[in-house]
């Protein structure tokens, strides 16, 4: 169950981060890049949880 929640949060953070990167403000673009990376990490965390759950 935690796998899907992490993946959903990851996808949302990636989308919002990407949208922020297209802003004209340099600070917002930097925040967007960081948020996109956070989303990628959350998505990876969900994948790892899924893989571990299937092996246990």
């Amino acid at each position: 169950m935690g796998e899907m929640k992490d993946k959903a949060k990851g996808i949302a953070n990636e989308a919002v981060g990407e949208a922020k990167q297209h802003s004209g403000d340099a600070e917002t673009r930097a925040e967007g890049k960081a948020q996109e990376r956070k989303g990628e990490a959350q998505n990876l965390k969900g994948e790892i949880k899924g893989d571990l759950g299937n092996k246990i």
Side-chain angles (χ1 to χ4, degrees):
M1 184 73 162
E3 167 191 4
M4 297 305 286
K5 185 176 178 182
D6 286 332
K7 284 184 175 184
K9 284 182 178 181
I11 291 169
N13 273 319
E14 284 183 59
V16 172
E18 191 169 326
K20 284 182 178 181
Q21 289 180 57
H22 294 286
S23 170
D25 182 277
E27 185 177 341
T28 304
R29 285 194 308 265
E31 288 175 9
K33 189 72 166 174
Q35 189 165 3
E36 185 179 11
R37 295 294 178 242
K38 177 182 176 181
E40 290 170 356
Q42 285 174 317
N43 203 358
L44 179 61
K45 179 181 173 184
E47 289 180 27
I48 292 170
K49 280 184 178 180
D51 288 344
L52 289 176
N54 293 335
K55 293 181 181 180
I56 295 176

